[in-house]
Amino acid sequence: MEVAASPPSATMPRLSAARRHASTEDKMSNLTSVSIFLLQEFSEVRELQILHFFLFLTSYLTIMSGNLLIIVAIAVDHHLHKPMYFFLATLAFMDIGSVSAIIPKSMANSIMNSRSISYSGCVAQVFFYFFFATSDFSLLTVMAHDRYVAICSPLQYETIMHKGACIQMAAIVFFTSLLYAILHTCGTFAITFCSNAVDQFFCEAPTLMKLSCSNFYLVEVGFILLGYIMGVGCFIFIIITYVQIISTVLRIPSVHGQKKALSTCLPHLTVVSVFLLSASFAYARPPTTASSDVDIVFAVIYIVIPPLLNPFIYSMRNKEIKTALWKLLDVGHSPKSTFRVL
């Protein structure tokens, strides 16, 4: 008795599809159980890893000391208890937070010859970096408004930029940045990851999206587009504000008055330029087939350069900050110092 063989065309596709489905399920199951991500190394050479550690350590200590000096100088010098310096001290605090969310972990991985970061640590990096970076640019926008009121409506400055108004502006910045960071973090980690190897030295949301197995990453793409729209809106607001400021300054009859007015704007305008130029290195450049090493270099530029340069820009271009810093550094050596702590 002969047994009829099943046609290959009827059975093979079903078996192949079943195997693919089982393989996908196994892969998804394995990935959901993964508790770590593997970050990109700066180098596999041990000596270069140590060099990276010391370079980042030097940069981090410089950023911390420079921004802390700005904060302390503004806090203890009653001459600097003005809206512009209140926002500057807040900006310095945000700069410290943004680098602290990323650089210490990178240094620890280099010194320990490791690539790993825990799932919760990756979530924390995405959340805190978005929060501090968004707060940074929002504060720069608020500071542009402060300079506009000071120069274009000087007689109404104290009425408009009173203490309560400054606190309200800062609270709005914190709340919107917090909400935006929560949305980004939820959108990033709601996707299913096909891999845990991140092509960046920290947990960067766009890089994590490349690891997605599903179309849910489109939600995060929407949040990123929303961020771009908000950023462009802030940029346009700053440009329009400075056009009005320059127009007002040019109408000042005294050349000395023009220089004095511009001197209060130049540090802020320089900081905005550094922030935008460094960010454009990473996000506004045309897409290329460049290696991940180039992406890492650009990431270092936009993460490290703005908070590193901001204290130097303000201390060199602002006479009141420069005077307060000299008083702060000299207070322990000069018994006749008139410096007061409030």
Side-chain angles (χ1 to χ4, degrees):
M1 180 176 180
E2 295 183 0
V3 179
S6 298
S9 60
T11 58
M12 292 303 292
R14 287 198 297 269
L15 289 172
S16 177
R19 286 170 182 165
R20 286 198 302 269
H21 182 68
S23 175
T24 302
E25 283 189 344
D26 290 342
K27 186 177 182 181
M28 302 280 269
S29 176
N30 289 337
L31 286 172
T32 53
S33 65
V34 170
S35 59
I36 64 169
F37 287 95
L38 299 178
L39 302 176
Q40 184 73 21
E41 293 177 303
F42 279 86
S43 175
E44 295 181 357
V45 180
R46 186 60 183 152
E47 289 76 11
L48 292 179
Q49 290 177 346
I50 300 297
L51 177 61
H52 156 249
F53 170 79
F54 282 108
L55 288 176
F56 260 29
L57 178 63
T58 303
S59 300
Y60 185 63
L61 292 178
T62 304
I63 291 170
M64 291 291 290
S65 58
N67 284 284
L68 282 174
L69 279 174
I70 293 288
I71 293 172
V72 174
I74 292 172
V76 300
D77 192 337
H78 70 283
H79 294 104
L80 301 183
H81 292 176
K82 303 174 184 177
M84 179 175 70
Y85 299 113
F86 166 73
F87 293 124
L88 176 57
T90 309
L91 180 69
F93 175 77
M94 294 301 167
D95 284 339
I96 291 174
S98 64
V99 295
S100 297
I102 294 172
I103 290 183
K105 178 59 180 175
S106 182
M107 290 191 299
N109 278 359
S110 291
I111 201 67
M112 294 188 297
N113 194 20
S114 171
R115 294 177 56 195
S116 66
I117 182 172
S118 66
Y119 188 91
S120 59
C122 194
V123 172
Q125 276 198 341
V126 171
F127 172 79
F128 284 111
Y129 184 71
F130 269 118
F131 172 72
F132 288 119
T134 304
S135 298
D136 255 8
F137 196 48
S138 300
L139 281 169
L140 289 174
T141 306
V142 171
M143 292 170 75
H145 174 69
D146 171 74
R147 291 299 83 206
Y148 167 79
V149 176
I151 293 175
C152 299
S153 303
L155 298 179
Q156 298 177 332
Y157 182 75
E158 293 185 1
T159 303
I160 297 174
M161 299 300 295
H162 55 86
K163 183 178 179 180
C166 293
I167 294 175
Q168 287 179 353
M169 290 179 189
I172 292 172
V173 167
F174 293 152
F175 178 76
T176 54
S177 300
L178 179 63
L179 179 61
Y180 187 63
I182 290 173
L183 290 175
H184 258 301
T185 307
C186 292
T188 300
F189 292 95
I191 65 178
T192 303
F193 297 106
C194 288
S195 171
N196 67 340
V198 183
D199 289 331
Q200 189 54 272
F201 73 96
F202 69 102
C203 288
E204 185 185 43
T207 307
L208 290 170
M209 280 171 27
K210 296 177 183 178
L211 309 179
S212 174
C213 286
S214 64
N215 291 331
F216 197 81
Y217 77 94
L218 294 175
V219 174
E220 174 61 12
V221 172
F223 291 147
I224 290 178
L225 289 176
L226 175 63
Y228 281 141
I229 293 172
M230 292 169 58
V232 171
C234 290
F235 175 70
I236 293 174
F237 176 84
I238 292 173
I239 293 298
I240 293 174
T241 298
Y242 270 101
V243 168
Q244 294 174 325
I245 288 174
I246 292 173
S247 176
T248 301
V249 168
L250 291 177
R251 292 198 296 268
I252 298 176
S254 167
V255 176
H256 175 72
Q258 291 180 352
K259 290 182 178 179
K260 184 177 180 180
L262 288 176
S263 67
T264 65
C265 297
L266 282 177
H268 172 259
L269 194 57
T270 305
V271 168
V272 172
S273 301
V274 170
F275 185 92
L276 293 175
L277 286 174
S278 59
S280 67
F281 272 115
Y283 295 111
R285 61 194 177 97
T288 64
T289 57
S291 66
S292 59
D293 292 338
V294 176
D295 293 330
I296 289 176
V297 171
F298 283 124
V300 171
I301 289 173
Y302 76 79
I303 287 171
V304 175
I305 297 301
L308 181 66
L309 292 183
N310 288 356
F312 295 101
I313 292 171
Y314 273 101
S315 61
M316 288 187 299
R317 300 295 307 181
N318 189 296
K319 291 183 179 180
E320 289 183 310
I321 287 286
K322 191 184 299 183
T323 301
L325 287 173
W326 277 114
K327 287 181 178 180
L328 181 65
L329 295 174
D330 191 53
V331 67
H333 305 285
S334 177
K336 296 182 180 181
S337 176
T338 60
F339 186 72
R340 296 191 299 169
V341 178
L342 296 185

